[in-house]
């Protein structure tokens, strides 16, 4: 087969169809600039979030929580996966059409490879493209890490999160290696679908960054759900049998085994840079393979920027979106915005109910020298939060860490229904200097989860002398 060769020049070249890259590409294209956006897979238009990350996993949370005890686990799961795949297909098509439909933007599908600092080659079907660009953005995201455990990589029962959410067979017994955000979210999802779930976490405990009372509340919920969490568990080996696999791990000096049907590897993700040939571009990377950037997300080549997971920063879609604002300010604005501007960025662990956090923990606040006041209450005891009873989810707690001298909110941990929304209000209050008393005494709609602040912030459980 003959290959047509084409050479094009563009104002902006974006490698990777992730949140940050597509945001810059869209804004740049709207200004009439020529833009080429390269994505290696037609299944990843829009990036990780709408295809194999945030959207499908949170959709599975929703479907898992709707399953009734009398519903067949397998049938419900298979139907749920089908509906989620239909949703992601819709988003994927919308992302492609929205970008490629712009007059000055061209989407190219294929593997990008740097030839020099301004030149990238890519094969698109029967066409070999050589693309030169004035400005280049790298937005290739991250990829799962599969640790070097004997038998793990070769096991036919081992899946990454991307592979697991694409299968329509619900694993009767699921072992999850890794008790971080990804591992705990999947433990909650698949237990609610009906799988027997075992989490194997190498660290002494899960949620080690959180205060002990918050972590204990999460672990109590997992225990109630029937999820087995083995902390301090070092996985030694994975041994495949005829129709199952055996995971061998060591805990407290004793070897244990667990027979399961599927192993989910949830041990983190690394920046996806290995195939970009960054050396040819003169772009420096860290030991982990992340592109080194400054506060304005410029790499060692000033015309090459890195956005999202690939620059080694926090691995959240909303951080990638904020990266796009920084880069756009460099390209079309005043050039002042930078990563130091970020403050009080919230996070959510989408278990059921979700755990949302922002700012300092109680332990961190004291270590930073604050005189601390703590306001905390179990959700079931919050009188002003009838919504928790309306939606039949009264588990969890709310906790605020407050500076006792200034009444400023230093941090919060909300383990409750709607906490993924509530935390944004708290984060905004912190950024704007709203005091705990002001947040407590504000007027909220009823019945809503937000009005819980009226009670919780008035329930001081301890204060430093």
């Amino acid at each position: 087969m003959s290959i047509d060769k084409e050479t094009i020049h563009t104002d902006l070249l974006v490698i990777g169809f992730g949140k940050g890259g597509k945001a810059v590409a869209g804004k740049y294209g709207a200004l009439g600039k020529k833009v080429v956006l390269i994505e290696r897979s037609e299944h990843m238009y829009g990036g990780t979030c709408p295809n194999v990350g945030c959207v499908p996993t949170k959709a599975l949370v929703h479907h898992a929580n709707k399953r009734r005890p009398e519903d067949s686990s397998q049938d419900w799961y298979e139907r749920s996966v089908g509906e989620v795949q239909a949703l992601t297909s819709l988003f994927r098509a919308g992302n492609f059409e929205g970008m490629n439909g712009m007059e000055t933007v061209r989407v190219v599908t294929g593997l990008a490879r740097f030839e020099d600092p301004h030149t990238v080659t890519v094969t698109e079907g029967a066409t070999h493209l050589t693309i030169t660009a004035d400005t280049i953005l790298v937005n290739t995201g991250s990829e799962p890490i599969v640790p070097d455990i004997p038998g793990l990589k070769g096991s036919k029962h081992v899946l990454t999160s991307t592979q697991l959410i694409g299968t329509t067979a619900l694993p009767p017994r699921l072992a999850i290696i890794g008790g971080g955000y990804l591992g705990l979210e999947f433990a909650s999802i698949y237990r609610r679908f009906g799988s027997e779930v075992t989490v194997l976490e190498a660290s002494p405990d899960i949620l080690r960054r959180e205060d002990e009372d918050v972590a204990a509340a999460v672990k109590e919920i997992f225990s109630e759900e029937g999820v087995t969490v083995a902390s301090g568990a070092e996985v030694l080996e994975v041994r495949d049998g005829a129709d199952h696999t055996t995971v061998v791990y060591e805990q407290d000096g004793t070897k244990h085994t667990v027979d399961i049907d599927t192993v989910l590897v949830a041990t983190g993700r690394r920046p996806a840079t290995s195939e970009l040939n960054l050396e040819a571009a003169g772009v420096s990377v860290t030991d982990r393979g992340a592109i080194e950037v400054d506060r304005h997300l410029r790499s060692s080549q000033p015309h090459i920027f890195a956005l999202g997971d690939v620059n080694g920063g926090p691995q959240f879609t909303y951080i990638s979106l904020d990266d796009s604002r920084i880069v756009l300010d460099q390209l079309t604005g005043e050039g002042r915005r930078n990563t130091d501007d970020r403050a009080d960025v919230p996070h959510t662990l989408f278990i059921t109910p979700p755990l949302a956090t922002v700012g300092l923990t109680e332990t961190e606040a004291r270590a930073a020298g604050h005189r601390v006041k703590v306001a905390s209450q179990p959700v079931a005891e919050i009188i002003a939060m009838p919504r928790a009873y309306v939606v039949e989810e009264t588990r969890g707690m709310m906790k605020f860490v407050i500076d006792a001298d200034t009444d400023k909110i230093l941090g919060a941990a909300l383990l409750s229904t709607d906490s993924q929304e509530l935390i944004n209000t708290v984060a905004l209050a912190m950024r704007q200097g709203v005091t705990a008393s002001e947040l407590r005494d504000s007027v909220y709609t009823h019945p809503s989860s937000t009005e819980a602040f009226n009670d919780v912030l008035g329930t001081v459980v301890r204060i430093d002398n």
Side-chain angles (χ1 to χ4, degrees):
M1 180 181 70
S2 62
I3 296 179
D4 296 329
K5 294 185 178 181
E6 181 183 354
T7 300
I8 57 177
H9 179 78
T10 186
D11 298 314
L12 176 69
L13 172 61
V14 181
I15 305 174
F17 207 145
K19 185 72 169 181
K22 74 175 182 181
V24 178
K27 294 288 180 63
Y28 224 57
L31 295 174
K33 301 286 188 179
K34 291 183 180 179
V35 179
V36 174
L37 174 57
I38 302 173
E39 173 51 54
R40 65 180 299 176
S41 170
E42 63 182 7
H43 300 294
M44 291 296 289
Y45 298 142
T48 296
C49 180
N51 293 294
V52 297
C54 326
V55 171
T57 56
K58 279 49 177 181
L60 286 175
V61 171
H62 172 70
H63 284 285
N65 287 338
K66 287 173 61 179
R67 187 180 76 86
R68 301 166 301 183
E70 63 267 27
D71 294 319
S72 163
S73 295
Q74 171 56 39
D75 291 346
W76 189 268
Y77 177 71
E78 185 173 355
R79 187 177 74 176
S80 298
V81 170
E83 292 183 10
V84 170
Q85 289 178 343
L87 177 64
T88 57
S89 294
L90 179 67
F91 281 10
R92 186 161 53 248
N95 273 295
F96 178 80
E97 293 164 6
M99 196 61 62
N100 202 54
M102 298 182 69
E103 186 176 348
T104 60
V105 179
R106 175 177 174 179
V107 177
V108 174
T109 306
L111 180 64
R113 180 179 173 84
F114 279 96
E115 300 300 327
D116 64 46
H118 283 276
T119 307
V120 169
T121 58
V122 60
T123 299
E124 181 184 23
T127 302
H128 181 82
L129 296 175
T130 298
I131 306 167
T132 60
D134 298 330
T135 303
I136 300 175
L137 311 186
V138 182
N139 186 216
T140 49
S142 58
E143 55 195 6
I145 296 172
V146 180
D148 191 19
I149 295 172
L152 185 66
K153 293 180 180 179
S155 172
K156 61 183 179 181
H157 298 280
V158 171
L159 299 175
T160 64
S161 59
T162 299
Q163 294 167 328
L164 181 56
I165 64 174
T167 181
T168 56
L170 179 69
R173 299 169 298 179
L174 174 66
I176 301 175
I177 302 178
Y181 268 38
L182 181 65
L184 295 180
E185 285 186 2
F186 271 76
S188 180
I189 291 169
Y190 280 83
R191 180 66 192 121
R192 293 214 146 206
F193 272 123
S195 299
E196 293 181 11
V197 179
T198 302
V199 178
L200 302 171
E201 168 56 39
S203 298
D205 208 348
I206 60 171
L207 300 173
R208 293 176 64 196
R209 184 195 173 276
E210 305 305 328
D211 289 321
E212 289 184 7
D213 52 351
V214 175
V218 173
K219 287 186 284 188
E220 181 179 356
I221 289 172
F222 270 86
S223 178
E224 292 173 356
E225 294 278 322
V227 175
T228 300
V229 178
S231 300
E234 180 186 0
V235 178
L236 304 176
E237 183 183 4
V238 174
R239 297 196 298 251
D240 277 4
D243 58 357
H244 71 281
T245 193
T246 300
V247 178
V248 182
Y249 65 96
E250 184 175 301
Q251 186 182 38
D252 297 327
T254 303
K255 284 188 178 181
H256 305 266
T257 62
V258 56
D259 293 335
I260 50 88
D261 304 290
T262 301
V263 179
L264 169 64
V265 180
T267 49
R269 298 173 66 90
R270 65 166 63 91
T273 58
S274 62
E275 297 180 306
L276 291 174
N277 195 29
L278 292 171
E279 298 87 351
V283 173
S284 300
V285 298
T286 68
D287 293 340
R288 294 185 61 249
I291 295 176
E292 292 183 345
V293 293
D294 62 14
R295 297 187 306 148
H296 300 103
L297 304 177
R298 292 182 186 269
S299 72
S300 52
Q301 292 285 0
H303 69 286
I304 299 178
F305 295 80
L307 301 80
D309 293 3
V310 77
N311 66 29
Q315 295 181 345
F316 300 106
T317 295
Y318 47 91
I319 294 296
S320 183
L321 176 61
D322 195 58
D323 283 354
S324 75
R325 300 182 185 119
I326 294 171
V327 172
L328 280 167
D329 188 45
Q330 287 292 304
L331 299 180
T332 64
E334 297 180 351
R336 295 180 179 178
R337 189 163 187 152
N338 62 73
T339 53
D340 291 343
D341 295 333
R342 293 176 184 146
D344 302 316
V345 177
H347 313 98
T348 300
L349 172 62
F350 282 88
I351 55 177
T352 302
L355 169 66
T357 60
V358 66
L360 301 177
T361 65
E362 181 180 351
T363 303
E364 291 170 340
R366 288 200 177 91
H370 295 278
R371 193 168 73 89
V372 171
K373 176 171 64 176
V374 175
S376 179
Q377 227 177 342
V379 170
E381 297 177 10
I382 302 175
I383 298 173
M385 193 181 178
R387 175 165 168 76
Y389 286 89
V390 169
V391 300
E392 300 179 294
E393 181 55 89
T394 59
R395 297 178 298 175
M397 63 178 293
M398 291 189 179
K399 177 178 182 178
F400 286 84
V401 180
I402 303 161
D403 188 293
D405 298 316
T406 65
D407 200 35
K408 292 294 177 66
I409 302 167
L410 301 174
L414 312 180
L415 177 62
S416 71
T417 186
D418 299 330
S419 68
Q420 76 278 9
E421 304 292 346
L422 299 175
I423 203 66
N424 293 317
T425 297
V426 177
L428 181 61
M430 292 172 64
R431 288 192 290 270
Q432 298 303 315
V434 175
T435 65
S437 297
E438 289 171 329
L439 191 65
R440 178 197 65 203
D441 295 336
S442 292
V443 178
Y444 304 107
T445 58
H446 175 81
S448 69
S449 293
T450 319
E451 62 183 338
F453 298 160
N454 296 147
D455 270 11
V456 178
L457 285 164
T459 308
V460 176
V461 296
R462 53 187 168 275
I463 185 170
D464 295 343
N465 295 323

